[in-house]
């Protein structure tokens, strides 16, 4: 291809030279025709067609991706790990449509609502792709009058955000949600949800992680005693939420400049939201008379005392960090909130310990992925009012608490751990091989016998395959056993079974068994009895 | 609720009567106020709010549905059955985004293209929801330069069609696709795909079914020798495809009136497309000199001879019906095509054997579901040119053959077979019960021990639960074992294990075991060792 490009360039220079020399037009024409021909060849190679009408851009939409068989094998392992934890805690699963009536999603996501994907109005209802699984779950509860359920749902959600693919930040991505809905005694389901989050992340083996915990009521109490006007509480909360990726100075700027907060109030908030610790911090805040004079803050702190007691029973308290800067962006949380972070979560840090500032790629509106982290890998909280809001009556509230595992981010961490050759996508157990004249129908017959016995088997889709390519296929896909058939042996009712891993010898490769014993012998070797 | 409506109606009549009698206005007002009050109550029950601004229509978009935990348990059983068949034949799985660049889907679906869902243009690329899994699969092959793969994909697809929910005809629905891509010897992968389709439907246990088979080249040959102009071949093929739900007369009308075909040509086609049979029909057509003089028809018939030979080896030929009316709607098929039908597929038949005509519900644009069948429950065929079309060069063709299992239709058949109480959604194995004073933290501790040992366990989310509700929960969810803890027993290091199915007696319900033996004992009883 480079050669062709070079030739085209040379011809181009020749044309310019000929024109400069005022050469005969026929000479110029000949050179131009040659260039056209060369360009055709080049387009053929690069997949571009001369006819523009046939030219289709072969790519997936921005922020989405395909998963090949190796990636899927890892993903399925991740899902099955998570599902087994969810089921161990008694969860059932439900499913909801990928799009919802638009008005159901409206007003649930605060500043993030602008990221919702809408379906085109093609007549009929106005719909949008789901933004998370929580609002659809609340809609499900409201619609069905479900009073109590422990459910998980693993499904894709959609956000028109700036993607950072290698960090698992995508526009189409899976969420693995576990939620407990129902009226129960305080902090019992909340502590189990955190326990579940910890079990999932531990079993996924993603390395060290921490659970940051906070309480919306404590935050609201802090905002109230610092003097934030009521209508600014949610926007100021959104600003605080950015403290994990931006320094306090930037967040303070957002509060005072963008959101018009009195700088003195912002500084008061700053004193609180920089606090983090464990039970000690909880006790310290409980001594703060000004804070505890606020009903919200006091209630939140008491919730956390109880939560910490239960987490201690579950022997997971050492993984918890009470972090007053944790705010969570979404509007619907009403109680405790939490987020799991790993060493990969934040932006990279410089040698002096400061965080790398986010920046865009050169000549692009996309982030430079070396300047951002994967973010939180699991998050959730309590949302007691969402169902009531959907029904439109507060006496229809169903208290809920849940967690969402950001499986793409987990996946991006695991992809760095596994090498493709460590992952086996194909599960075939037996390859049926012919020696000699192809024996097409006999190979099919043997394979059908294996399938009917529940053995995973394949044969080569060639009427008369050579022996070597058949063996190579076994090696390439790490197929453990071969059944080798030949005319003479078939005639006396025999086949050979060869263990392809041990490269076992004997009887010209593999051991002869009676055709009628083939299934029993293979099941024995495959440990299927 | 009906009582309330009745009361409102009666009050309304009273008001009219009072007005007719010119009664005192205060009497009328009192009755009207009573009506307002009753309506409030009614709205409370139906979830409608007086304040219209809070009123959200709690429904899912037309043609979509939720799946509750019972339905999901059935669906997961269906999926795992299908996946185990696919894996037995050596398939790997891939995943693609739910939406594609719009131009990738353009021109692939013939008359059905109008049913594609578009995403709103919110800036950036124009995208549409996938209409099937086949075009995205071809795009995946083209993009990655994959030359050969045997893959399955189970995912939702989207069609803005007229839904018939109870028949499994929906706007959002799952497809389970299995495809073999690559250059192989003729009819070998094709016969395996049909074998796979038969294995899936047999193991799903949906009752009797038949596989209709035809060949695009035979159809094209028939159209050519009957005198259909080339540009009308695909539209006429689409008309023929409707023969499974419409009588020949209607299809002939579509050909001649809508699509401008010469009636004589239509009648010639009619002679062929009414034919169906087995190998005998194949042999008869091979004797038809006029037909076999056509290159397409001859090639198609020869393919079918080979296919039938292989299907005979696979011992499934008796399930095949060679049916010349089968055309399949989609543009991209180039070789054999097939469809699985059951007794539920066609519209209901009247006593005289004629098919019930499709009609709409009264005052609605939706079909009366009693007048339509579930349609085909699996279908597919060979599409050798799709990848090349996407790349824009015919020398990039990758021959493919595949099948798509219409799992919602299968599901609608199975839903009629299973009663909800036969399906167990919850898999909890042990319920931890306290006798006496709640023992909240002890129950949590025991439960955590069970979870850590991989046992599925729950406890009641109540600090001080009564005994009876705890036992009732076991019964309601058919939880097989209870671990019962009481203060006195815990003090001497004991718990009780009770088999909740046998209602076993002894020691006040359940047998005492040492706390340290609890896990071993439960694993033994659960068959987990």
């Amino acid at each position: 291809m480079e050669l062709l490009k070079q030739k085209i360039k040379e011809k181009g220079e020749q044309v310019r030279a000929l024109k400069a020399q005022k050469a005969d037009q026929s000479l110029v024409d000949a050179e131009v025709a040659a260039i056209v021909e060369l360009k055709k060849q080049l387009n053929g190679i690069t997949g571009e067609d001369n006819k523009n009408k046939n030219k289709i851009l072969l790519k997936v939409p921005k922020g989405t991706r395909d998963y090949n068989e190796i990636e899927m094998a890892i993903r399925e392992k991740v899902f099955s790990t998570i599902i087994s934890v969810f089921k161990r805690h008694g969860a059932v699963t439900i499913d909801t449509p990928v799009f919802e009536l638009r008005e159901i999603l409206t007003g649930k996501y605060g500043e993030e609502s602008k990221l919702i994907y809408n379906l085109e109005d093609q007549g009929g209802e106005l719909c949008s792709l789901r933004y998370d699984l929580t609002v659809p779950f609340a809609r499900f509860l409201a619609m069905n009058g479900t009073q109590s359920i422990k459910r998980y749902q693993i499904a894709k959600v959609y956000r028109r955000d700036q993607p950072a693919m290698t960090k698992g930040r995508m526009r189409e991505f899976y969420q693995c949600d576990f939620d407990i809905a129902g009226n129960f005694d305080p902090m019992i389901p909340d502590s189990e949800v955190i326990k579940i989050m910890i079990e999932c992340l531990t079993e996924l083996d993603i390395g060290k992680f921490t659970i940051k915990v906070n309480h919306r009521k404590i935050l609201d109490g802090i905002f109230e005693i610092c003097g934030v006007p009521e209508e600014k509480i949610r926007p100021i909360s959104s600003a605080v939420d950015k403290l994990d990726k931006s320094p306090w100075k930037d967040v303070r700027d957002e509060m005072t400049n963008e959101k018009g907060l009195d700088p003195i109030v912002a500084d008061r908030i700053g004193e609180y939201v920089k606090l983090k610790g464990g039970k000690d911090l909880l006790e310290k805040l409980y001594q703060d008379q000004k804070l505890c004079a606020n009903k919200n803050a006091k209630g939140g702190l008491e919730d956390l005392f109880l939560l910490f007691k239960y987490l201690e029973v579950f022997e997971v308290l050492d993984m918890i960090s009470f972090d007053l800067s944790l705010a969570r962006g979404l509007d619907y949380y009403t109680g405790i909130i939490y987020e799991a972070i790993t060493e990969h979560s934040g932006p990279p840090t410089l040698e002096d310990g400061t965080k790398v500032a986010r920046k865009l790629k050169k000549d692009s509106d996309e982030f430079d992925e070396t300047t951002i982290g994967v973010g939180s890998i699991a998050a959730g909280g309590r949302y007691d009012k969402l169902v009531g809001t959907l029904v439109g009556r507060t006496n229809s509230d169903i208290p809920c608490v849940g967690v969402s595992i950001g499986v793409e981010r987990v996946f991006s961490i695991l992809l760095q751990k596994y090498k493709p050759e460590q992952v086996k996508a194909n599960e075939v157990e037996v390859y049926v091989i012919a020696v000699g004249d192809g024996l097409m129908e006999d190979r099919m017959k043997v394979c059908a016998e294996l399938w009917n016995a529940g053995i995973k088997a394949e044969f080569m889709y060639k009427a008369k395959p050579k022996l070597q390519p058949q063996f190579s296929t076994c090696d390439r896909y790490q197929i453990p056993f071969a059944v080798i058939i030949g005319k003479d042996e078939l005639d006396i009712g025999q086949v050979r079974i060869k263990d392809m891993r041990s490269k076992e010898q004997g009887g010209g490769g593999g051991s002869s068994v009676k055709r009628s014993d083939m299934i029993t012998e293979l099941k024995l070797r495959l440990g299927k009895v």
Side-chain angles (χ1 to χ4, degrees), chain A:
Chain A
M1 200 164 94
E2 287 317 305
L3 190 69
L4 269 175
K5 283 184 180 168
Q6 182 59 31
K7 270 194 193 168
I8 291 169
K9 205 179 151 195
E10 284 169 17
K11 291 269 174 201
E13 279 159 8
Q14 261 177 285
V15 169
R16 272 186 294 279
L18 285 170
K19 280 183 176 172
Q21 297 158 20
K22 298 199 192 306
D24 191 283
Q25 186 61 32
S26 66
L27 286 175
V28 177
D29 288 350
E31 289 301 326
V32 169
I35 291 177
V36 169
E37 201 49 50
L38 286 169
K39 281 196 174 167
K40 264 191 204 163
Q41 281 181 46
L42 183 67
N43 287 344
I45 290 169
T46 58
E48 289 172 59
D49 203 283
N50 322 328
K51 288 177 258 169
N52 263 317
K53 73 180 173 69
N54 283 341
K55 205 171 128 186
I56 295 177
L57 199 58
L58 279 179
K59 63 182 284 295
V60 291
K62 182 175 175 180
T64 69
R65 56 168 295 186
D66 292 326
Y67 286 78
N68 67 26
E69 66 269 33
I70 299 291
E71 293 159 338
M72 283 300 282
I74 298 175
R75 194 162 94 177
E76 292 196 334
K77 206 173 148 241
V78 169
F79 285 166
S80 77
T81 301
I82 292 174
I83 290 172
S84 83
V85 173
F86 290 167
K87 287 192 173 175
R88 198 155 68 215
H89 288 264
V92 296
T93 189
I94 66 157
D95 190 25
T96 62
V98 83
F99 48 82
E100 294 276 343
L101 293 184
R102 194 166 301 163
E103 62 176 350
I104 292 195
L105 306 189
T106 304
K108 308 297 184 302
Y109 301 106
E111 293 179 5
E112 297 183 22
S113 294
K114 63 180 186 291
L115 304 179
I116 292 174
Y117 273 99
N118 293 328
L119 290 186
E120 191 178 294
D121 181 4
Q122 293 170 290
E125 302 152 334
L126 291 183
C127 299
S128 298
L129 297 187
R130 62 184 165 212
Y131 183 83
D132 64 8
L133 301 176
T134 310
V135 173
F137 173 55
R139 194 265 310 141
F140 175 92
L141 295 177
M143 237 177 93
N144 295 289
T146 310
Q147 291 301 310
S148 146
I149 191 172
K150 208 189 244 191
R151 86 88 180 75
Y152 74 89
Q153 186 174 3
I154 296 186
K156 287 175 174 178
V157 302
Y158 298 87
R159 301 183 184 182
R160 296 176 53 256
D161 210 345
Q162 204 53 269
M165 306 296 284
T166 59
K167 305 290 179 180
R169 291 169 172 267
M170 293 154 68
R171 291 183 160 195
E172 174 187 59
F173 59 99
Y174 266 100
Q175 284 195 330
C176 301
D177 277 27
F178 178 99
D179 293 81
I180 298 173
N183 262 298
F184 302 113
D185 281 350
M187 293 299 116
I188 306 175
D190 311 61
S191 59
E192 184 167 345
V193 169
I194 292 178
K195 170 82 165 98
I196 286 166
M197 179 157 87
I198 292 170
E199 285 182 26
C200 284
L201 298 178
T202 305
E203 292 182 23
L204 287 171
D205 200 16
I206 50 152
K208 222 169 130 347
F209 62 90
T210 304
I211 313 286
K212 295 200 279 186
V213 173
N214 199 2
H215 198 298
R216 269 285 164 91
K217 285 189 181 165
I218 299 178
L219 272 181
D220 288 356
I222 290 172
F223 296 144
E224 282 162 14
I225 63 164
C226 291
V228 179
E230 206 197 319
E231 75 280 6
K232 286 192 175 147
I233 283 188
R234 284 281 72 77
I236 293 304
S237 188
S238 286
V240 168
D241 194 47
K242 290 165 191 157
L243 276 173
D244 57 341
K245 38 186 184 275
S246 310
W248 165 248
K249 192 190 149 299
D250 294 0
V251 169
R252 186 180 181 280
D253 276 357
E254 181 177 329
M255 289 180 177
T256 53
N257 298 339
E258 266 179 58
K259 293 175 174 166
L261 193 69
D262 183 337
I264 298 168
V265 174
D267 290 335
R268 280 187 210 135
I269 294 172
E271 287 308 300
Y272 279 107
V273 296
K274 72 181 182 204
L275 299 174
K276 60 184 73 174
K279 226 167 152 180
D280 49 328
L281 175 59
L282 200 53
E283 275 150 14
K284 194 183 119 190
L285 290 176
Y286 207 66
Q287 304 305 321
D288 182 332
Q289 293 194 350
K290 198 176 159 202
L291 190 62
C292 282
N294 179 284
K295 198 174 140 256
N296 269 329
K298 185 158 185 279
L301 288 169
E302 281 165 357
D303 271 357
L304 282 193
F305 272 112
L306 193 54
L307 179 76
F308 277 35
K309 187 173 87 175
Y310 291 151
L311 292 178
E312 202 156 13
V313 173
F314 284 147
E315 298 181 0
V316 292
L317 193 56
D318 56 332
M319 317 197 75
I320 308 293
S321 163
F322 174 31
D323 188 329
L324 283 165
S325 73
L326 178 71
R328 307 279 308 131
L330 306 177
D331 277 354
Y332 48 65
Y333 291 117
T334 55
I336 66 156
I337 45 180
Y338 32 82
E339 241 180 48
I341 53 159
T342 74
E343 51 176 337
H344 309 281
S345 290
T349 44
L350 298 173
E351 277 181 22
D352 63 1
T354 58
K355 289 174 184 168
V356 171
R358 282 185 174 210
K359 60 178 190 204
L360 298 180
K361 279 185 201 162
K362 210 179 157 220
D363 301 327
S364 163
D365 65 338
E366 287 177 40
F367 283 115
D368 175 348
E369 305 199 358
T370 63
T371 67
I372 55 177
V374 300
S376 67
I377 49 169
R382 175 163 282 284
Y383 50 103
D384 285 347
K385 307 287 180 194
L386 188 54
V387 176
T389 307
L390 284 167
V391 175
R393 282 180 308 134
T394 52
N395 61 359
S396 298
D397 279 338
I398 296 175
C400 298
V401 61
V403 64
S404 178
I405 299 180
V407 77
E408 311 289 353
R409 296 169 183 196
V410 167
F411 185 71
S412 81
I413 295 170
L414 292 181
L415 262 191
Q416 292 165 26
K417 272 183 63 170
Y418 290 107
K419 294 202 181 69
E421 59 271 22
Q422 291 176 291
V423 184
K424 193 172 178 312
N426 177 307
E427 298 179 10
V428 173
E429 296 162 323
V430 176
Y431 203 64
V432 179
I433 290 176
V435 180
D437 203 38
L439 300 169
M440 185 68 239
E441 293 174 44
D442 291 296
R443 278 185 292 142
M444 282 181 154
K445 214 183 269 291
V446 168
C447 223
E449 262 179 64
L450 297 174
W451 294 329
N452 292 342
I455 294 169
K456 296 174 191 135
E458 281 189 305
F459 58 93
M460 189 165 274
Y461 294 154
K462 220 171 155 45
K464 293 176 192 296
K466 293 203 179 104
L467 192 56
Q468 199 46 51
Q470 297 180 81
F471 278 124
S472 308
T473 303
C474 289
D475 290 342
R476 188 158 60 250
Y477 296 111
Q478 302 168 52
I479 301 172
F481 292 99
V483 165
I484 305 170
I485 59 174
K487 183 145 190 346
D488 294 349
E489 279 170 307
L490 281 179
D491 285 348
I492 55 165
Q494 289 198 332
V495 299
R496 270 179 295 151
I497 296 176
K498 183 170 175 171
D499 187 326
M500 297 302 294
R501 295 159 303 184
S502 68
K503 308 282 173 191
E504 122 199 9
Q505 290 305 318
S511 38
S512 287
V513 298
K514 272 201 277 183
R515 171 77 182 265
S516 53
D517 293 339
M518 176 183 73
I519 299 291
T520 318
E521 176 68 20
L522 279 169
K523 283 195 165 180
L524 198 70
R525 294 214 195 184
L526 288 163
K528 290 203 166 193
V529 273

